[in-house]
Amino acid sequence: MELEQTLIENTLKGDMDSFSSLVLAYKDKIYAFLLKMTLSKEDAEELTQDVFISVYKNLYRYNKNWGFSTWIYKIASNSFKNYYKKIKRSRVTQNILDIEDLSCNFDDCPEIILESREDYLKVVELINKLNPEQKVALVLKHMKGFSYKEIGKILDISPEAAQMKVQRAKESICKQYKKLEERSY
């Protein structure tokens, strides 16, 4: 935290090496978050660049009372929401196969690998159909480990409302998954 504060202050004084250090500290985290949100490597890369451009342009607005990670994820969340408004859902669902981080090791049982991958893709598709704020809240909570308080700050809502968004997202996914399973049988 203290190092971040120093890097921020030095960046505001024009030290580009300090800004480069901030970018290095957060670029992989922000990219991973945006990849989970967009399901597209290219879009995640582009949005990550947009986030850091926005960070640089708006760094003077950063409030020391916030955690820097909360602030940068708020910018990333807003970038995703703007992206989401611009695209068609059909394009996003086609990009599901871009996600390669399904980690299973069932070498002796290829049918389990196939079934796990199919279930995984169903869940990813259901997550993708959530409204943007529910999706952001769910990913921040369960994939990035943010607290409800931090999610609330990122989404400009109360911690209780953040918890409700995550809960409703999970309920929606479970309900839709159950419907898919019932249709399969």
Side-chain angles (χ1 to χ4, degrees):
M1 290 294 191
E2 213 172 288
L3 175 61
E4 281 180 356
Q5 225 26 69
T6 302
L7 292 173
I8 291 166
E9 290 170 12
N10 290 343
T11 300
L12 290 171
K13 293 175 186 172
D15 181 8
M16 290 308 294
D17 290 336
S18 291
F19 184 69
S20 294
S21 296
L22 284 172
V23 171
L24 283 173
Y26 282 95
K27 73 175 182 163
D28 292 340
K29 295 173 189 175
I30 296 298
Y31 172 77
F33 168 70
L34 291 169
L35 180 60
K36 285 179 176 28
M37 299 305 295
T38 63
L39 304 177
S40 166
K41 291 176 183 178
E42 294 81 15
D43 290 344
E45 288 171 0
E46 186 175 324
L47 285 173
T48 300
Q49 289 177 355
D50 291 346
V51 166
F52 285 104
I53 290 169
S54 185
V55 166
Y56 185 75
K57 288 181 179 177
N58 294 291
L59 195 57
Y60 70 95
R61 293 181 177 177
Y62 169 68
N63 181 342
K64 293 180 194 179
N65 297 328
W66 281 42
F68 185 73
S69 66
T70 303
W71 187 72
I72 197 168
Y73 273 94
K74 181 177 181 64
I75 292 171
S77 172
N78 288 337
S79 292
F80 168 73
K81 288 178 196 174
N82 292 335
Y83 158 88
Y84 188 84
K85 290 175 187 175
K86 293 178 186 175
I87 63 163
K88 297 179 183 175
R89 287 182 181 245
S90 61
R91 178 171 166 226
V92 174
T93 56
Q94 291 170 359
N95 292 332
I96 289 172
L97 298 176
D98 283 351
I99 304 296
E100 298 171 351
D101 62 359
L102 178 64
S103 55
C104 294
N105 189 8
F106 299 104
D107 295 332
D108 297 332
C109 305
E111 64 277 358
I112 293 175
I113 294 172
L114 181 60
E115 189 174 315
S116 295
R117 180 117 177 112
E118 287 172 0
D119 287 344
Y120 171 79
L121 292 175
K122 285 179 193 175
V123 171
V124 169
E125 192 167 350
L126 292 174
I127 291 170
N128 196 49
K129 289 181 181 179
L130 294 170
N131 74 48
E133 285 209 351
Q134 284 181 342
K135 185 176 178 181
V136 168
L138 184 74
V139 169
L140 287 173
K141 179 65 181 166
H142 292 290
M143 295 180 183
K144 294 296 173 188
F146 279 81
S147 69
Y148 291 118
K149 184 178 179 181
E150 292 169 316
I151 295 168
K153 284 183 179 179
I154 291 168
L155 296 177
D156 288 328
I157 57 177
S158 70
E160 294 79 16
Q163 185 175 6
M164 186 61 68
K165 285 196 183 300
V166 171
Q167 184 61 33
R168 286 189 178 147
K170 291 192 292 189
E171 288 171 1
S172 176
I173 290 166
C174 290
K175 185 177 174 183
Q176 295 302 318
Y177 188 83
K178 187 175 179 181
K179 284 181 184 179
L180 286 174
E181 289 298 303
E182 287 171 358
R183 282 188 228 150
S184 297
Y185 294 111

